Amino acid sequence: MSMLQLATWNVNSLKVRLPHLLQWLEKNPVDLLGLQELKLTDDAFPVQELTMAGYGAVFAGQKTYNGVAILYKRSTMPTPVDVEVNLPSYPDEQQRVIAATFGDLRFISAYVVNGSEVGSEKFEYKKAWLDALLQDCSQWVKTYPKLALVGDFNIAPDDRDVHDPASWAGQVLCSDEERNRWRALLNLGLTDSFRLFEQPDKTFSWWDYRMLGFQKNKGLRIDHVLLSEALANCCTASIIDRAPRKWEKPSDHAPAIATIQE
DNA sequence: ATGGCTCAAAGATTGAGA
């Protein structure tokens, strides 16, 4: 019987947030961590600092925006193999997906398109991108019985995940077009690990920097750990850790962690 | 009041995020 902790965190600039990441990992030595919004090129990825902290990494960065990574604890995880960057069915210059296999576990870190606003060109990109994710996921769940898809999905699955559902109704992150695609993802056989358990009301993973969003808990739950059936069946906890959102110069996202008891 | 803050590129502002 061994325990595995799978996590995700949109750090909003790894360069700025590296001290927070290292501090968080010290208190939360998770086995696998998907990162999003690195906002740096691969030559600037802090390999040395993470190695010192006991973590290996595979990563796909770019200048200015996007960028994703998977960190793995070297003392507990085998070396990653079959590293794949991007969605096979959606060639893209934006670095939004990285996947790797650790033993018999396939772990995918994704940064879903934001979409700007419903009806915009970026929203069309988001829908097409999500459709590609759905297509590729339908293959992955067949190939990998133990599959974890984690990341910033930029979708609040239902009204429980929104501080003010009325004002967000139909808006980007909450629209039917996005939520229908979220449900289609779950229908492929993935489980929102957070909803396997009783959770406090108004638990969110993102709060706007403006308007005292965090202080007023005006947030959304858009960062998720999705598990295939085999993993969901032995998931014993799934939480969002608000703590680092209170630190000085925080990311606007908080990490989410699922615990697996194998 | 459709802004408010933060980051990256710039080297003053602007685009992007959600």
Side-chain angles (χ1 to χ4, degrees):
Chain A
M1 207 74 165
S2 73
M3 188 188 80
L4 207 57
Q5 288 201 300
L6 313 179
T8 185
W9 195 4
N10 178 327
V11 290
N12 185 17
S13 173
L14 182 53
K15 220 171 274 180
V16 174
R17 225 65 65 198
L18 181 60
H20 280 199
L21 176 60
L22 295 173
Q23 189 181 334
W24 188 78
L25 284 172
E26 224 174 277
K27 269 201 171 177
N28 303 272
V30 296
D31 299 284
L32 291 172
L33 173 60
L35 298 177
Q36 301 86 36
E37 285 209 86
L38 306 181
K39 293 186 171 181
L40 46 70
T41 48
D42 288 347
D43 59 296
F45 192 91
V47 173
Q48 187 64 35
E49 291 87 339
L50 288 165
T51 301
M52 300 285 284
Y55 282 86
V58 293
F59 47 90
Q62 68 179 87
K63 206 170 173 180
T64 314
Y65 298 120
N66 307 309
V68 284
I70 300 170
L71 307 189
Y72 57 96
K73 190 160 51 167
R74 284 179 297 135
S75 61
T76 61
M77 301 305 293
T79 304
V81 297
D82 297 332
V83 177
E84 257 191 307
V85 171
N86 262 311
L87 295 172
S89 70
Y90 199 102
D92 195 349
E93 288 183 9
Q94 301 193 17
Q95 303 296 292
R96 295 182 174 278
V97 177
I98 189 163
T101 298
F102 301 84
D104 61 354
L105 171 65
R106 187 67 169 171
F107 189 85
I108 303 156
S109 171
Y111 175 44
V112 175
V113 177
N114 170 291
S116 188
E117 59 182 297
V118 174
S120 68
E121 206 166 296
K122 285 174 184 169
F123 192 73
E124 294 304 310
Y125 169 40
K126 182 175 195 172
K127 288 189 292 181
W129 196 95
L130 283 167
D131 288 339
L133 177 66
L134 276 163
Q135 185 180 319
D136 292 331
C137 253
S138 70
Q139 292 303 312
W140 291 334
V141 293
K142 290 177 204 159
T143 310
Y144 306 105
K146 292 188 182 177
L147 176 79
L149 171 61
V150 313
D152 175 359
F153 285 76
N154 271 316
I155 300 175
D158 66 63
D159 283 351
R160 289 175 296 176
D161 304 310
V162 182
H163 68 92
D164 182 356
S167 75
W168 279 89
Q171 302 294 310
V172 72
L173 316 185
C174 300
S175 73
D176 286 342
E177 288 165 292
E178 292 158 280
R179 286 177 170 177
N180 288 342
R181 285 169 172 80
W182 167 264
R183 279 192 287 274
L185 203 52
L186 300 193
N187 286 339
L188 295 176
L190 296 173
T191 297
D192 178 1
S193 62
F194 185 79
R195 293 296 177 204
L196 284 171
F197 306 96
E198 279 227 18
Q199 301 287 357
D201 280 346
K202 300 194 180 300
T203 299
F204 306 125
S205 70
W206 170 85
W207 301 261
D208 201 314
Y209 283 125
R210 302 167 295 184
M211 302 177 290
L212 300 172
F214 182 68
Q215 290 86 333
K216 296 178 181 168
N217 198 30
K218 289 187 169 184
L220 304 175
R221 190 176 69 94
I222 55 176
D223 300 270
H224 309 298
V225 177
L226 298 188
L227 301 174
S228 65
E229 194 182 352
L231 292 178
N233 285 341
C234 47
C235 180
T236 57
S238 183
I239 60 117
I240 295 169
D241 181 12
R242 297 163 50 93
R245 188 63 175 78
K246 301 171 188 165
W247 298 347
E248 199 179 337
K249 271 183 113 35
S251 168
D252 43 358
H253 295 254
I257 316 170
T259 304
I260 310 289
Q261 208 75 47
E262 294 192 288

